[in-house]
Amino acid sequence: MTHTSGTEVVLHDATLRDGQHEVGHQMTEDQLRRYAEAADRAGVPVVEVGHGNGLGASSLQIGRARLSDAQMLDAVRPELASARMGVFMAPGWGTGSDIRAAVAAGAGVVRVAAHCTEANVTRRHLGLVRDLGVQAQTVLLMSHMAEPTELARQCALAVSYGAQAVGIMDSAGALLPGDVTARVSAIASETGVPVIFHGHNNLGLAVGNSLAAVQAGARIVDVCAQGIGAGAGNTPLEVMAAVLQRCGYETGVQVRAALAAAEVAREHLMDRAPQMDPVSIVSGLEGVFSGFRLPVLAAAEKAGVDPLEVFAELGRRRAVAGQEDLIPVAVDAVAQTAALAEPVNP
Amino acid sequence: MTHTSGTEVVLHDATLRDGQHEVGHQMTEDQLRRYAEAADRAGVPVVEVGHGNGLGASSLQIGRARLSDAQMLDAVRPELASARMGVFMAPGWGTGSDIRAAVAAGAGVVRVAAHCTEANVTRRHLGLVRDLGVQAQTVLLMSHMAEPTELARQCALAVSYGAQAVGIMDSAGALLPGDVTARVSAIASETGVPVIFHGHNNLGLAVGNSLAAVQAGARIVDVCAQGIGAGAGNTPLEVMAAVLQRCGYETGVQVRAALAAAEVAREHLMDRAPQMDPVSIVSGLEGVFSGFRLPVLAAAEKAGVDPLEVFAELGRRRAVAGQEDLIPVAVDAVAQTAALAEPVNP
C-alpha cells in the first residue's frame, strides 16, 4: 500500500459552481443551502458557488443562471460555519465590480481563471483581490494545450501578480496521469505557493489524475460531490476523501460525512449521476472543453448531425473555453461534410 | 502528452462474466448473443462468458445463473468471427470436467483463479488446460492482501505449472496506482509471460490503475463495456480503448466501435450504470471483495443494520472471495454491537 506522512491537502469543493454545468446553471436557493450545509458539516474547507462559468457569466450565449451571483452567495454564506466561501471568475465574463460584490458578500477565496497561455489577463484582478484582503488564486484552463514549462512560466507570472495559489484545470478531461505529474511538478518547482489541480472524468481518470497531482506536489484538489460537473463530471469529493485517507494525507474531511454530503447531492442536486458517455469520451480524446457538452448536444440534435463528429471538428479547430461561438461553425462544417457524402439523386 | 511505441495490449472483455455480478447472473441467451456480436465487431480479441464466479459456480449460496455454463457458451460461440471465447474458473467451484466441457464448447482461453497466496491450487487444472491445447492463464484474487514479491512468487509458481499468462485481480477495488505499479513490475520481472491486470472502480481508479499496470508492463487488461461488473464496476472497455489509443498502444479495438458495443451493453445488459456509491467506496477502503455487494445489501436490509458497518466488519475479518458464509456472521456482529449501543429502558 502507498502511504505518506500527514501532509495536508485542501479539498476545494466546486459542487455548487462546476456542478451548475450539469443542470444548466439552474440550482435553486434551497438546493444551494442544503448542499452547502452538508459540505460544511463534512469538514470541507472551501465551498465554491456561482454560475458554472463564474461571476458575471450568466448570459444568453453561455446560459442564464436561475439566480444572480448575489442571490447565490447570500444563500450559501449563512450555511458555512467553518468552510470559507469561494468564487470563480474569468476576466471577460467577470469584472472587478463582480469581485468587489462577491467579497462584500463574504467570499474568502477568489479564483481568477485564464486560458493556459494567457495568465497576463489575471494581473489587474489578482491585484484587486489582494487589496480586498482575501485569498487570490489563479487557475489555467485547457491545460492539456500547453507544455509543462509553459504552464510553470504562466503560473509564475500569476504569482508575481499576487496569486497565493496557482494551478491547472483539465478542462477537456484530456490529461493522462503522466501529463499531470509533469505539469504539477514543473509548477511546484517554479512557484513557491500551493499548487491547484482540477480534474475531469471524461477518460475515467479524474481520481487517478488528482492522486497523481497530489503525489507530484499539488496541495489543493478540486472536487464535486458525486463528481457532478461538466463533461463526465469532476473528481468525486467522497471518493477523493477516501483515497487520500488511504494514502495518509490529511484533508480534515471525514469520509462518512463526505458520503452523507454526496447523498444530499444525489438526492437534491442531480437528475442523473455523471457518466462517461460517448460524447464525454470523445471530448476527452479530442481535447475539447467539457462545458461544451450540453450546447453541442443541443446544436447537433437541432441540425441532425452526429455530436461526436462535432466534437472531433471542435478538436481540429482547437476550440477553447469561451469560444461557444465555434459550436455552430463546427455543426455547419459537419453538416456540409455529411451532405457531400450523401449520394446524389439523378 | 504521454506516448509510447506500438506495443500491443490485449483488451480481455469480461462483460459477459464479471458483468453477471451486476445482474445476479441472470443474463439471457439473447443478451449474450447481442453483446458478443458487438464486441467481436469492435475488434475485441477475447470475450469471456459465464457465471460471475466462473465455471460450475452457479449455486444457491453464490447465486444461481439463469443459464447453464453450456447454454452460455453455446449462445456466444457462433457470434465470434474473430474473437476467442474465454472462460474463468476457480478450483473449488469449477472442476476438471467443467474445463473439458468448456473447451469442447469452443473456449480458447481458460483462466484458473486462486486466492492471492494460493497459486498451488491451480496446478492440476493448468496442466489439464495445456493438455487440451488452449491458452492457460492464472489470476490471483484479492491482490491487495499480498505484497509484490509474494505475488511474483505465486505467479512464477503458476508459470511453472503451465500458465501462459499470469496476473492479478483487484477484487476489492482497493489498490492505488502505486500499489499496481509495484505488483505488476514485480510479476513482470519474475515471469517471462504476459502479465494480466483486472481492476475495479470502487475508489474511482479502475482506468488509472489499468493504465499504471500497462505502463508497468502488463499486456492483458480486463475490461467490461460501460464498466459493468462487481462493486462499482470494472475498467470500461470503451474508455480504456480511447486511453490506450491516446498513449500509442495497439489494441486492435476501434474506439468508435467500442462506443457502439458499450451502447449495446447500456441498452440490453444493464438496469443502471455502475456507480461509486457508499457501499462500493467503503468496500474499496476496507478491502472487501466487490462481489459481496449485492449479498451484503440484501442481508443488511433484512437484519435492519447499516451495510457500511457490515463491510467494515468483513474488512476486519479479512474476508476473501468465496467466503460468502462470513456475511451473516458479520451482519450478526454488527447487529449485536448496535443492540449494545441502544439505551436500555428501565
Side-chain angles (χ1 to χ4, degrees):
Chain A
M1 300 296 148
T2 310
H3 284 287
T4 183
S5 54
T7 306
E8 286 181 25
V9 174
V10 170
L11 291 175
H12 181 107
D13 188 335
T15 305
L16 301 181
R17 199 274 305 162
D18 210 331
Q20 294 268 23
H21 282 293
E22 190 61 26
V23 295
H25 318 286
Q26 294 306 305
M27 287 186 198
T28 65
E29 284 165 312
D30 181 60
Q31 289 177 308
L32 296 175
R33 282 195 200 106
R34 278 176 191 267
Y35 181 74
E37 195 268 339
D40 186 74
R41 195 154 8 100
V44 162
V46 183
V47 172
E48 194 173 270
V49 60
H51 182 285
N53 296 50
L55 295 177
S58 181
S59 63
L60 200 60
Q61 192 193 21
I62 295 171
R64 285 217 183 276
R66 176 190 297 268
L67 302 174
S68 69
D69 293 340
Q71 287 171 320
M72 290 191 258
L73 294 164
D74 288 345
V76 165
R77 185 68 198 85
E79 304 300 329
L80 306 181
S82 54
R84 283 183 296 170
M85 186 162 69
V87 290
F88 174 96
M89 75 89 70
W93 290 327
T95 64
S97 334
D98 293 322
I99 291 178
R100 283 178 201 280
V103 172
V109 179
V110 178
R111 283 214 175 153
V112 186
H115 181 62
C116 57
T117 53
E118 298 172 2
N120 61 306
V121 305
T122 67
R123 179 172 204 152
R124 200 162 46 85
H125 297 104
L126 286 171
L128 171 61
V129 176
R130 291 302 299 273
D131 288 345
L132 293 170
V134 298
Q135 193 180 49
Q137 303 185 345
T138 287
V139 285
L140 301 176
L141 308 177
M142 298 292 281
S143 57
H144 68 289
M145 297 179 85
E147 293 302 312
T149 49
E150 173 66 11
L151 294 169
R153 204 177 65 79
Q154 296 286 334
C155 283
L157 258 186
V159 172
S160 78
Y161 303 151
Q164 295 157 296
V166 290
I168 56 174
M169 292 196 161
D170 180 16
S171 316
L175 293 176
L176 304 177
D179 305 325
V180 173
T181 300
R183 282 161 171 72
V184 169
S185 303
I187 296 167
S189 71
E190 191 71 24
T191 65
V193 301
V195 177
I196 302 162
F197 179 75
H198 175 108
H200 278 277
N201 205 40
N202 294 0
L203 293 177
L205 287 163
V207 176
N209 283 345
S210 298
L211 181 58
V214 169
Q215 289 172 334
R219 292 295 169 260
I220 301 174
V221 174
D222 286 7
V223 290
C224 292
Q226 301 266 357
I228 183 173
N234 291 84
T235 308
L237 158 68
E238 64 281 12
V239 178
M240 201 62 204
V243 167
L244 291 177
Q245 179 187 306
R246 268 282 305 285
C247 297
Y249 292 99
E250 296 290 336
T251 66
V253 174
Q254 303 303 314
V255 172
R256 290 292 179 92
L259 289 169
E263 190 57 24
V264 169
R266 192 191 62 72
E267 202 171 321
H268 297 289
L269 301 186
M270 308 158 56
D271 294 328
R272 54 154 217 164
Q275 282 168 36
M276 288 175 285
D277 61 14
V279 166
S280 71
I281 294 168
V282 171
S283 167
L285 193 58
E286 306 287 353
V288 177
F289 178 46
S290 293
F292 284 177
R293 187 176 182 279
L294 292 181
V296 166
L297 283 177
E301 188 179 6
K302 197 170 164 194
V305 300
D306 182 352
L308 302 187
E309 294 297 337
V310 177
F311 271 100
E313 182 63 26
L314 287 167
R316 278 190 289 273
R317 289 169 185 264
R318 295 178 64 79
V320 305
Q323 292 184 316
E324 273 79 2
D325 51 336
L326 276 182
I327 295 174
V329 178
V331 166
D332 282 351
V334 171
Q336 281 174 26
T337 310
L340 287 173
E342 274 180 16
V344 180
N345 285 325
Chain B
M1 301 294 147
T2 311
H3 283 287
T4 184
S5 55
T7 308
E8 285 181 28
V9 175
V10 170
L11 291 175
H12 181 105
D13 188 335
T15 306
L16 302 181
R17 199 274 305 162
D18 210 332
Q20 293 269 22
H21 282 292
E22 191 60 27
V23 296
H25 320 285
Q26 295 304 305
M27 287 186 196
T28 65
E29 283 164 315
D30 181 61
Q31 289 177 308
L32 296 175
R33 281 195 199 104
R34 277 177 193 267
Y35 181 74
E37 195 269 337
D40 186 74
R41 193 151 12 97
V44 161
V46 182
V47 172
E48 194 174 270
V49 60
H51 182 284
N53 297 51
L55 296 176
S58 180
S59 63
L60 200 59
Q61 192 193 19
I62 296 171
R64 285 217 182 278
R66 176 188 297 267
L67 303 173
S68 69
D69 292 340
Q71 286 171 320
M72 290 191 258
L73 294 164
D74 289 345
V76 165
R77 186 67 199 86
E79 304 300 329
L80 305 181
S82 55
R84 284 182 297 168
M85 187 163 69
V87 290
F88 175 96
M89 75 88 71
W93 292 327
T95 64
S97 333
D98 293 323
I99 290 177
R100 284 178 199 281
V103 173
V109 178
V110 178
R111 281 210 176 156
V112 186
H115 180 63
C116 57
T117 53
E118 298 172 2
N120 61 306
V121 305
T122 66
R123 180 172 204 152
R124 201 161 47 84
H125 298 105
L126 287 170
L128 170 61
V129 176
R130 291 302 300 272
D131 287 346
L132 293 170
V134 297
Q135 194 182 50
Q137 302 185 344
T138 287
V139 284
L140 301 176
L141 309 176
M142 299 290 282
S143 57
H144 68 290
M145 297 179 85
E147 294 301 312
T149 49
E150 172 66 12
L151 294 169
R153 204 177 65 80
Q154 297 285 335
C155 283
L157 256 186
V159 172
S160 78
Y161 303 151
Q164 295 158 295
V166 290
I168 56 174
M169 292 196 161
D170 180 16
S171 316
L175 292 176
L176 304 177
D179 305 324
V180 173
T181 300
R183 282 162 172 72
V184 168
S185 303
I187 297 167
S189 71
E190 190 72 23
T191 65
V193 301
V195 177
I196 302 161
F197 180 74
H198 174 106
H200 278 278
N201 205 39
N202 294 359
L203 294 176
L205 288 162
V207 176
N209 283 344
S210 297
L211 182 58
V214 168
Q215 290 173 333
R219 291 297 169 256
I220 301 174
V221 173
D222 287 8
V223 290
C224 292
Q226 301 267 356
I228 183 174
N234 290 84
T235 307
L237 158 68
E238 63 281 13
V239 178
M240 202 62 205
V243 167
L244 291 177
Q245 177 186 307
R246 269 281 306 285
C247 297
Y249 292 99
E250 295 291 336
T251 66
V253 175
Q254 303 302 314
V255 173
R256 289 294 177 93
L259 289 170
E263 191 56 24
V264 170
R266 193 191 61 73
E267 203 171 319
H268 297 289
L269 300 186
M270 307 158 57
D271 294 326
R272 54 153 216 166
Q275 283 168 35
M276 288 176 284
D277 61 14
V279 166
S280 71
I281 294 169
V282 171
S283 168
L285 193 59
E286 305 287 352
V288 177
F289 178 46
S290 294
F292 284 177
R293 187 176 182 280
L294 292 182
V296 166
L297 283 178
E301 188 179 5
K302 199 170 162 195
V305 299
D306 182 353
L308 302 186
E309 294 296 337
V310 176
F311 271 101
E313 181 64 27
L314 286 167
R316 279 189 289 273
R317 289 168 186 264
R318 293 178 64 81
V320 305
Q323 293 184 316
E324 274 78 0
D325 51 336
L326 276 183
I327 296 175
V329 177
V331 167
D332 283 350
V334 171
Q336 282 176 24
T337 309
L340 287 173
E342 275 179 16
V344 180
N345 285 325

